[in-house]
Amino acid sequence: MATIRKGDLALSISNKLTASGALGERGGTRAAADAALNAVLDSITEAVAAGNRVVLTGFGSFESRQVKERQVTAIRGPQAGQRINVPAHKRVGFTAGADLAGAVRK
């Protein structure tokens, strides 16, 4: 299994835009694809940080979720074996959409 990084995604987007002819003869430059990818990721980040749910139909949805305070057993460090409190906090949740889930199952 390979690790795909943001730069790899930008290159893939650039290649797809060039192949599809969506941008005319110029095609998609990697810099333009990188800027577009950054704009999408920044928009998702801002929306989720503001408490909104972002739904990308077929791909999935991102949302901020509240996690309750709980006690866990420490497994490392000087407190190993003792119960420690994890305070209530928020985390980002992702739920895969039907298209993404179907593609992974193949």
Side-chain angles (χ1 to χ4, degrees):
M1 181 180 341
T3 300
I4 307 297
R5 302 197 188 283
K6 192 163 84 167
D8 301 326
L9 284 176
L11 181 60
S12 177
I13 291 168
S14 173
N15 292 339
K16 287 179 189 271
L17 289 174
T18 300
S20 71
L23 299 178
E25 294 177 11
R26 284 187 23 225
T29 65
R30 184 164 177 182
D34 190 48
L37 179 58
N38 284 334
V40 169
L41 295 176
D42 288 345
S43 296
I44 291 172
T45 301
E46 290 169 3
V48 173
N52 297 317
R53 183 170 188 232
V54 177
V55 178
L56 303 173
T57 303
F59 181 75
S61 62
F62 300 89
E63 64 186 337
S64 175
R65 297 179 181 165
Q66 183 67 38
V67 178
K68 295 178 183 178
E69 181 179 348
R70 65 187 190 277
Q71 287 191 340
V72 296
T73 303
I75 58 172
R76 288 187 163 172
Q79 296 178 332
Q82 297 177 3
R83 304 283 285 171
I84 58 172
N85 286 331
V86 176
H89 59 279
K90 290 184 179 181
R91 68 175 178 86
V92 175
F94 175 76
T95 304
D99 294 346
L100 177 59
V104 170
R105 285 190 202 113
K106 286 184 181 181

